Amino acid sequence: MKDTNEMKLEFDSRSCNEGFARVAVASFLSQLNPTLEEVADVKTALSEAVTNAIIHGYEGRVEKVYIECQIKDREMTVAVIDHGCGIPDVEKAMEPLYTTKEEEERAGMGFAFMEAFMDEVFVESEVGKGTKVIMKKKINRVPHQFEE
Amino acid sequence: MEDCFKVTGRNLTIIMPCELDHHNAEKLKTGADRIIQSRNIRSIVFDFGKTNFMDSSGIGMIMGRYKMIHFMGGKVMAIRVNQRIRRILTLSGVYKVMEIYEGLPQQSKLS
């Protein structure tokens, strides 16, 4: 399995960890030699998913958010997982401008941004069990070889 | 934190942080709203000069302040907006309700 590489993160669902998660994933991504724009795209999409886990999944409770990253050839797959409340209607939740937290000034743009900045976005969610957001992005520049 | 707010008359300039995410947006909101109310603010300038990251939480923060000010007949604008921030503002539709400048208002205006 020369051309795959994986990492996992587990951290408390505190908003101060959002920046940490972005930097950690961006740094893992850097081995594919992405453009600055590709890095920014992944950071924005990841930030949306982690923010969702913190404010919607756990609704402010401090529990664990999990991130799983895999690089295969030139594609990065990143999954953001929470064991929070789950989403009753995923299709509705993914509509632009739809938000359940208007009073907290949520723009309702989270999933729209994820879809805009990543190649593919999948959402698996079960009410009472949690949510897993899986995002994929191809990095087009010629990558560095993994070191043996 | 107080350093990011500048009041001139009834105008409030908010110096946006390097990374405008959910965490930082929440902190900014509280401070900004206190000033908007106590100083009778009628216009807001969001200064993105040192901002290199923003997500939809930033959009929520801007829209919230826009609604407060717009309700009282005021205006909001964004200055020193780089390409990345501009893309986020455009994608979200916020550009429709505010003037966006690459530099300062007397310089080039972005559509």
Side-chain angles (χ1 to χ4, degrees):
Chain A
M1 296 298 277
K2 187 168 172 270
D3 287 335
T4 68
N5 192 9
E6 295 182 351
M7 72 94 164
K8 287 184 183 180
L9 288 177
E10 175 183 336
F11 54 89
D12 281 349
S13 56
R14 298 178 192 277
S15 67
C16 59
N17 287 332
E18 291 161 1
F20 158 72
R22 283 197 298 275
V23 171
V25 170
S27 157
F28 185 71
L29 179 69
S30 68
Q31 62 196 289
L32 289 180
N33 191 23
T35 61
L36 285 176
E37 186 167 4
E38 286 165 337
V39 174
D41 287 353
V42 169
K43 281 171 96 173
T44 308
L46 184 88
S47 193
E48 301 296 348
V50 171
T51 304
N52 276 353
I54 293 174
I55 63 180
H56 296 289
Y58 292 124
E59 298 180 295
R61 294 192 309 279
V62 177
E63 294 189 38
K64 302 293 180 196
V65 178
Y66 307 85
I67 293 180
E68 296 175 5
C69 278
Q70 189 193 45
I71 287 174
K72 193 177 178 197
D73 299 322
R74 291 187 193 178
E75 188 173 64
M76 159 124 136
T77 304
V78 50
V80 178
I81 301 151
D82 69 69
H83 300 312
C85 66
I87 304 169
D89 185 345
V90 171
E91 212 174 307
K92 185 90 187 150
M94 292 180 81
E95 279 175 17
L97 305 179
Y98 175 79
T99 180
T100 52
K101 294 207 187 301
E102 196 148 14
E103 72 288 353
E104 288 177 32
E105 295 183 347
R106 306 308 311 167
M109 298 296 295
F111 281 118
F113 276 20
M114 289 181 230
E115 289 183 313
F117 293 124
M118 302 295 274
D119 298 335
E120 293 173 72
V121 179
F122 308 97
V123 181
E124 297 166 5
S125 191
E126 200 179 323
V127 173
K129 293 258 171 78
T131 301
K132 181 175 187 177
V133 176
I134 303 158
M135 302 181 282
K136 290 173 186 273
K137 189 170 183 75
K138 262 217 161 68
I139 303 301
N140 290 316
R141 240 200 240 171
V142 180
H144 294 302
Q145 289 299 309
F146 290 117
E147 285 179 22
E148 294 298 319
Chain B
M1 187 69 198
E2 296 307 316
D3 295 345
C4 49
F5 302 113
K6 273 188 220 157
V7 178
T8 323
R10 287 178 152 198
N11 174 70
L12 169 65
T13 300
I14 303 178
I15 314 289
M16 302 299 243
C18 296
E19 305 224 313
L20 184 56
D21 61 2
H22 162 235
H23 181 67
N24 289 325
E26 289 300 315
K27 290 195 292 185
L28 263 188
K29 272 181 201 173
T30 324
D33 288 357
R34 206 176 46 233
I35 295 173
I36 291 168
Q37 277 155 11
S38 66
R39 307 289 290 270
N40 207 7
I41 297 297
R42 284 294 176 270
S43 64
I44 302 180
V45 176
F46 296 101
D47 184 346
F48 285 95
K50 61 175 189 179
T51 307
N52 49 43
F53 177 87
M54 178 166 84
D55 65 15
S56 72
S57 300
I59 299 297
M61 184 264 170
I62 293 171
M63 282 308 293
R65 309 291 81 65
Y66 165 77
K67 284 180 187 162
M68 287 176 86
I69 288 291
H70 183 70
F71 177 71
M72 299 182 285
K75 271 178 72 172
V76 297
M77 68 166 83
I79 63 167
R80 300 203 286 157
V81 171
N82 69 28
Q83 193 133 32
R84 181 72 201 173
I85 302 299
R86 179 192 179 183
R87 194 166 161 216
I88 304 270
L89 294 174
T90 309
L91 200 64
S92 66
V94 173
Y95 71 96
K96 289 177 191 161
V97 298
M98 66 199 293
E99 290 176 9
I100 298 173
Y101 299 93
E102 209 164 63
L104 300 172
Q106 57 271 35
Q107 295 166 351
S108 63
K109 184 181 169 182
L110 299 176
S111 58

